[in-house]
């Protein structure tokens, strides 16, 4: 278990080093850090240079000014104070935790609510709250969620909405209970109103999509079972057509297009959703994106992620290949071989499209996919994700296409897989051995369980 200490304990050790061992301030801090790290203490949330930067005094001062302003109802200098506080909070997580422990969240919520008629202070308050809760989402409570919904419903200006959406997103990252509480507050209906507006800007779309993706995350290790799938299903039913229809309108804006694509990929969690995106023209659009932006690493990676998600439906899987996407996918992997993320996504896409589909595998053989896969493995011998996805693609292309799989063997795949197994061992052992087996090559398989040779009885004498 990771050990943690309080800011006060850390400060006491630093002061002790100065007073009892006559160390300089810098020496005292360095020694204290070494002591705690040697004891296995996690110092992530500790402001290590607190005595040097005077951050503690600054944060205390700004919070005091905010509280006095709330009490006196005199908010004249609040925008400036909030900006200064935000600068301190943006330094690192330790500053944010310290401020949170000093009541910063409660003060900022009170101030923002009290000044709801003042757009300038609301914007500054939202930015400060977002900084405070970045990587520190535990502070959110029902009062904060109510404020989020109120602003969504009452503030029409784009800038305020964007600051609000960024705060909501931070609340959802690595916090399952926050996601559920925000989702249960009917956040999606408010987000959909943004998506369907005729005058919605590209920047608003990007922030709204970021919140949608955050609502379907499953990244909180404190909760074994989350509601990511449930959230994705509900959102998909109301948003897939809307998002797909938005794509042609923003075809010239690479950033918006990318966000729309990756959001669709996050929402396609059921078989019928894949078909819905296909019927709405999503496949044609994503293919056009890869053709129109052949040199965009990010867009090609995002497009490949969406194609893999769409391949979850067998009918759509066949349509992807018969519509001519195969050569485009292989060309992207070959062209962007220097991008590990594109190569990994491309191999995963090939694997998904050829899973239990020998006709699709045959098509991929027709335009030289084995050589592209072999070259990718040669280019990334130390990358477990690349090697794992390559092994899966080899398996799916070989298991029911025994005649064609000799192409892999001709390109020296046996040695490449053998070297990968020696280098990475258990991390990819099952994947590599399965690929060797389905290629018809020699492989030593482990027998996971064997009986003891004892005779079985059915209990009848």
């Amino acid at each position: 278990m990771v050990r943690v200490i309080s800011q006060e304990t850390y400060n006491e050790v630093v002061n002790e080093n100065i007073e009892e061992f006559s160390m300089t301030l810098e020496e005292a801090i360095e020694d204290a850090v070494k002591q705690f790290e040697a004891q296995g203490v996690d110092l992530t949330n500790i402001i290590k240079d607190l005595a040097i930067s005077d951050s503690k005094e600054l944060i205390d001062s700004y919070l005091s000014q905010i509280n006095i302003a709330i009490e006196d109802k005199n908010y004249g200098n609040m925008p400036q104070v909030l900006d200064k506080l935000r600068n301190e909070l943006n330094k690192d997580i330790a500053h944010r935790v310290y401020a949170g422990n000093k009541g910063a969240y409660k003060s900022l919520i009170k101030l923002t609510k009290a000044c709801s008629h003042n757009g300038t202070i609301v914007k500054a308050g939202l930015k400060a709250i977002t900084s405070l809760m970045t990587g520190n989402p535990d502070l959110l409570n029902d009062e904060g969620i109510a404020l989020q919904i109120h602003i969504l419903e009452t503030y029409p200006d784009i800038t305020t909405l964007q600051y609000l959406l960024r705060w909501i997103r931070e609340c959802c990252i690595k916090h399952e209970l926050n996601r559920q509480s925000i989702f249960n507050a009917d956040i999606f209906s408010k987000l959909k109103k943004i998506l369907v507006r005729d005058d919605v800007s590209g920047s608003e779309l990007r922030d709204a999509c970021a919140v949608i993706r955050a609502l379907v995350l499953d990244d909180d290790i404190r909760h074994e079972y989350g509601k990511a799938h449930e959230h994705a299903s509900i959102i998909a039913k109301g948003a897939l057509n809307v998002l797909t229809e938005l794509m042609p309108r923003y075809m010239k804006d690479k950033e918006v297009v990318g966000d729309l694509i990756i959001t669709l990929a996050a929402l396609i969690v059921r078989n019928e959703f894949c078909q819905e995106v296909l019927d709405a023209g999503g496949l044609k659009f994503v293919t056009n994106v890869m053709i129109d932006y052949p040199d965009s690493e990010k867009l090609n990676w995002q497009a490949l992620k969406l194609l893999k998600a769409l391949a979850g439906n067998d009918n759509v899987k066949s349509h992807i290949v018969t519509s001519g996407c195969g050569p485009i996918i292989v060309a992207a992997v070959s062209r962007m071989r220097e991008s590990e993320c594109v190569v990994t996504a491309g191999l995963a896409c090939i694997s998904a499209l050829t899973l239990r589909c020998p006709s699709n595998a045959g098509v991929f053989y027709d335009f030289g996919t084995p050589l592209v896969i072999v070259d990718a493995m040669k280019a990334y011998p130390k990358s477990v994700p690349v090697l794992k996805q390559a092994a899966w693609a080899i398996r799916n292309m070989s298991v029911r296409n025994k005649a064609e799989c000799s192409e892999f063997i001709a390109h020296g795949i046996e040695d490449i897989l053998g070297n990968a197994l020696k280098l990475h061992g258990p991390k990819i052992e099952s994947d590599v051995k399965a690929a060797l087996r389905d290629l018809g090559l020699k492989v030593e398989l482990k027998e996971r369980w064997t009986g003891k040779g004892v005779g079985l009885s059915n209990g009848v004498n």
Side-chain angles (χ1 to χ4, degrees):
M1 181 179 292
V2 177
R3 298 179 61 195
V4 294
I5 58 170
S6 67
Q7 185 70 53
E8 289 71 19
T9 300
Y10 173 83
N11 293 347
E12 288 174 6
V13 173
V14 172
N15 291 330
E16 184 180 287
N17 284 343
I18 294 172
E19 295 171 4
E20 296 191 16
F21 301 103
S22 301
M23 294 182 181
T24 65
L25 182 56
E26 290 80 1
E27 290 172 340
I29 290 173
E30 182 181 357
D31 183 76
V33 170
K34 287 181 179 178
Q35 282 186 53
F36 286 121
E37 288 181 345
Q39 297 169 31
V41 175
D42 183 2
L43 296 176
T44 304
N45 295 339
I46 298 299
I47 304 175
K48 302 178 185 67
D49 64 343
L50 187 61
I52 296 175
S53 65
D54 292 327
S55 290
K56 175 182 176 181
E57 288 76 11
L58 287 173
I59 291 172
D60 288 346
S61 172
Y62 299 143
L63 292 179
S64 175
Q65 292 178 59
I66 291 171
N67 291 331
I68 291 171
I70 294 171
E71 186 175 343
D72 296 344
K73 298 183 180 180
N74 183 358
Y75 310 110
N77 67 335
M78 280 300 97
Q80 295 79 15
V81 173
L82 289 168
D83 284 343
K84 291 176 181 178
L85 174 62
R86 183 164 56 88
N87 289 336
E88 293 301 314
L89 298 175
N90 285 340
K91 288 182 177 178
D92 58 34
I93 184 64
H95 288 74
R96 297 191 280 277
V97 170
Y98 176 82
N101 290 337
K102 290 296 181 177
Y105 175 81
K106 184 177 180 180
S107 297
L108 290 172
I109 293 293
K110 276 188 177 181
L111 176 66
T112 306
K113 289 175 66 176
C115 298
S116 60
H117 59 284
N118 188 321
T120 301
I121 293 179
V122 169
K123 291 184 185 72
L126 290 174
K127 289 193 287 184
I129 295 172
T130 304
S131 292
L132 175 67
M133 296 186 65
T134 298
N136 188 32
D138 287 354
L139 297 171
L140 187 69
N141 59 10
D142 291 342
E143 186 179 11
I145 295 173
L147 177 61
Q148 292 172 346
I149 299 301
H150 172 73
I151 294 174
L152 265 176
E153 292 176 336
T154 58
Y155 271 78
D157 66 292
I158 293 174
T159 307
T160 302
L161 286 177
Q162 286 185 268
Y163 291 146
L164 173 67
L165 292 173
R166 291 167 193 173
W167 173 29
I168 295 173
R169 176 182 175 274
E170 289 300 334
C171 294
C172 293
I173 294 175
K174 295 186 178 180
H175 205 295
E176 177 63 25
L177 295 183
N178 282 359
R179 280 193 289 268
Q180 293 183 22
S181 297
I182 292 171
F183 191 86
N184 292 338
D186 198 25
I187 185 74
F188 175 59
S189 67
K190 314 297 187 299
L191 295 175
K192 189 172 181 180
K193 289 179 181 178
I194 296 174
L195 298 178
V196 300
R197 273 199 356 246
D198 291 335
D199 62 343
V200 64
S201 66
S203 56
E204 283 179 284
L205 271 182
R206 294 191 67 198
D207 286 319
C209 284
V211 173
I212 289 174
R213 293 195 301 274
L215 287 168
V216 300
L217 288 173
D218 186 17
D219 59 355
D220 190 344
I221 61 174
R222 296 171 294 184
H223 294 269
E224 187 174 357
Y225 301 105
K227 292 191 175 182
H229 189 278
E230 181 180 327
H231 291 173
S233 297
I234 294 171
I235 295 173
K237 290 177 182 178
L240 285 184
N241 281 336
V242 175
L243 293 171
T244 307
E245 290 169 3
L246 281 169
M247 292 195 288
R249 192 198 307 182
Y250 293 92
M251 187 64 177
K252 300 297 182 182
D253 191 325
K254 292 165 62 174
E255 298 298 331
V256 176
V257 166
D259 272 347
L260 289 170
I261 288 174
I262 204 67
T263 303
L264 282 171
L267 294 177
I268 302 174
V269 295
R270 283 173 31 184
N271 194 58
E272 64 267 29
F273 297 157
C274 303
Q275 188 68 48
E276 187 176 338
V277 172
L278 175 67
D279 294 342
L283 176 59
K284 185 177 185 299
F285 177 81
V286 76
T287 304
N288 288 339
V289 167
M290 296 182 73
I291 293 171
D292 293 350
Y293 297 101
D295 299 321
S296 172
E297 176 184 345
K298 185 176 181 180
L299 271 181
N300 278 268
W301 169 76
Q302 291 167 327
L304 290 166
K305 295 276 283 187
L306 177 55
L307 288 173
K308 178 182 181 293
L310 288 171
N313 178 304
D314 287 343
N315 176 59
V316 177
K317 181 194 302 184
S318 296
H319 194 84
I320 290 171
V321 176
T322 57
S323 66
C325 283
I328 298 172
I329 294 167
V330 176
V333 175
S334 180
R335 185 175 62 253
M336 298 192 173
R337 195 172 66 180
E338 294 184 0
S339 170
E340 184 177 347
C341 66
V342 171
V343 170
T344 305
L347 295 177
C349 190
I350 293 170
S351 174
L353 289 169
T354 56
L355 177 65
R356 297 188 303 275
C357 193
S359 59
N360 280 3
V363 173
F364 276 99
Y365 276 112
D366 289 342
F367 39 81
T369 304
L371 179 58
V372 173
I373 294 176
V374 168
D375 286 344
M377 297 181 76
K378 288 180 179 178
Y380 295 97
K382 296 181 180 180
S383 172
V384 171
V386 168
L387 296 174
K388 189 183 288 281
Q389 295 297 342
W392 290 350
I394 293 168
R395 281 194 63 189
N396 294 343
M397 289 181 64
S398 303
V399 66
R400 299 181 184 179
N401 297 70
K402 295 302 182 184
E404 293 99 327
C405 74
S406 59
E407 284 190 41
F408 283 108
I409 299 171
H411 292 307
I413 193 63
E414 185 172 15
D415 289 339
I416 294 171
L417 288 170
N419 290 335
L421 186 57
K422 289 178 183 176
L423 183 61
H424 299 288
K427 293 180 181 177
I428 60 170
E429 181 179 9
S430 60
D431 309 298
V432 168
K433 287 188 174 182
L436 288 168
R437 178 199 64 205
D438 291 337
L439 284 166
L441 298 171
K442 183 179 179 181
V443 58
E444 294 181 7
L445 299 174
K446 289 182 180 179
E447 199 166 11
R448 298 295 181 186
W449 179 86
T450 58
K452 297 181 179 179
V454 179
L456 298 178
S457 171
N458 61 8
V460 179
N461 294 325

